[in-house]
């Protein structure tokens, strides 16, 4: 948590590892979600998405990828939430 002027900034990061134990490559579509604010004073910004596509309205994140046989792939999702320091925001 950082406080800058009248605002607070919280950062959240998640790492997703997927391993292909099969003897052939697999096609995988992985979905996740960014928080979406309905309050104009609360701003959510994606900082790292590991090449995912984002739906700005719903916050849906989509990775569409191929994982070779015996390989592991890492996906990172990071975002910051900027909000007035006098407001209480639950980010969990």
């Amino acid at each position: 948590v950082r406080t800058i002027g009248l605002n607070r900034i919280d950062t959240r990061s998640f790492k997703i590892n997927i391993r292909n134990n099969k003897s052939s490559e697999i096609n995988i579509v992985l979905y996740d979600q960014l928080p979406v604010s309905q309050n104009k004073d609360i701003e959510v910004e994606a900082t790292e998405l590991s090449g995912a596509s984002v739906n700005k309205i719903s916050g849906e994140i989509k990775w569409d990828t191929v994982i070779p046989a015996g390989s592991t792939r890492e996906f990172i999702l990071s975002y910051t939430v900027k909000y007035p320091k006098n407001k209480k925001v639950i980010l969990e």
Side-chain angles (χ1 to χ4, degrees):
V1 177
R2 295 182 308 177
T3 303
I4 299 176
L6 299 175
N7 294 313
R8 280 197 160 157
I9 299 175
D10 281 338
T11 301
R12 295 286 188 262
S13 293
F14 303 92
K15 181 168 65 168
I16 303 165
N17 289 311
I18 298 180
R19 182 182 9 220
N20 179 4
N21 290 327
K22 295 186 177 276
S23 59
S24 60
E25 69 179 24
I26 58 171
N27 295 320
I28 189 164
V29 179
L30 177 64
Y31 292 93
D32 209 325
Q33 178 77 40
L34 280 174
V36 177
S37 173
Q38 300 298 318
N39 185 330
K40 66 180 177 70
D41 294 334
I42 301 171
E43 298 174 19
V44 178
E45 180 183 343
T47 55
E48 173 66 43
L49 296 175
S50 299
S53 60
V54 179
N55 180 323
K56 299 279 186 188
I57 296 169
S58 68
E60 181 182 83
I61 300 168
K62 177 182 173 185
W63 290 275
D64 191 354
T65 190
V66 175
I67 302 177
S71 295
T72 300
R73 181 83 194 273
E74 180 177 278
F75 303 91
I76 296 175
L77 166 62
S78 293
Y79 60 89
T80 59
V81 180
K82 181 179 173 183
Y83 58 94
K85 65 181 176 182
N86 62 350
K87 288 194 184 252
K88 187 167 197 119
V89 176
I90 299 171
L91 296 175
E92 299 303 320

